[in-house]
């Protein structure tokens, strides 16, 4: 006897496999301790530390009053420094 193809049955089996693959609860009822670890790691890489630990008397990252004041003065007087070109390689560019 030939087996009949039933698309609805195939969809049900596929849905069941997807739901079972997403199970994050152990048989004892506790949530998997590694659940969400990748998302937390990626967020930690992208979020700045709001309370960085720096040595006593050391400047915080981004702090330099003299440089900032000089930049603000140049901006107000419209005498900003020209952009410096940086060359990364000495190979010629071109089609040959």
């Amino acid at each position: 006897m030939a087996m009949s193809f039933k698309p609805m049955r195939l969809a049900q089996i596929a849905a069941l496999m997807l739901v079972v693959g997403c199970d994050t609860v152990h048989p004892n009822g506790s949530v998997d301790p590694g659940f969400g670890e990748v998302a937390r790691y990626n967020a930690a890489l992208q979020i700045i530390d709001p309370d960085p630990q720096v040595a006593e008397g050391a400047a915080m990252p981004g702090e330099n009053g003299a440089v900032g004041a000089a930049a603000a003065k140049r901006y107000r007087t419209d005498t900003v420094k020209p952009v410096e070109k940086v060359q990364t390689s000495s190979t010629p560019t071109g089609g040959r």
Side-chain angles (χ1 to χ4, degrees):
M1 178 172 211
M3 223 169 152
S4 64
F5 178 72
K6 297 184 180 179
M8 187 59 158
R9 187 68 166 159
L10 182 64
Q12 290 172 344
I13 292 172
L16 179 65
M17 291 175 68
L18 286 173
V19 170
V20 171
C22 294
D23 187 17
T24 59
V25 180
H26 289 279
N28 65 3
S30 67
V31 177
D32 185 4
F35 182 70
E37 188 64 30
V38 172
R40 285 190 294 271
Y41 176 76
N42 288 336
L45 290 176
Q46 298 176 37
I47 298 172
I48 191 167
D49 184 6
D51 187 27
Q53 304 299 318
V54 294
E56 184 68 31
M60 295 282 287
E63 281 187 10
N64 192 330
V67 173
K73 183 177 179 183
R74 286 191 307 271
Y75 183 75
R76 282 193 304 269
T77 59
D78 200 27
T79 56
V80 294
K81 293 179 180 179
V83 178
E84 296 178 18
K85 290 185 177 182
V86 178
Q87 187 172 353
T88 58
S89 65
S90 61
T91 57
T93 58
R96 293 184 181 194

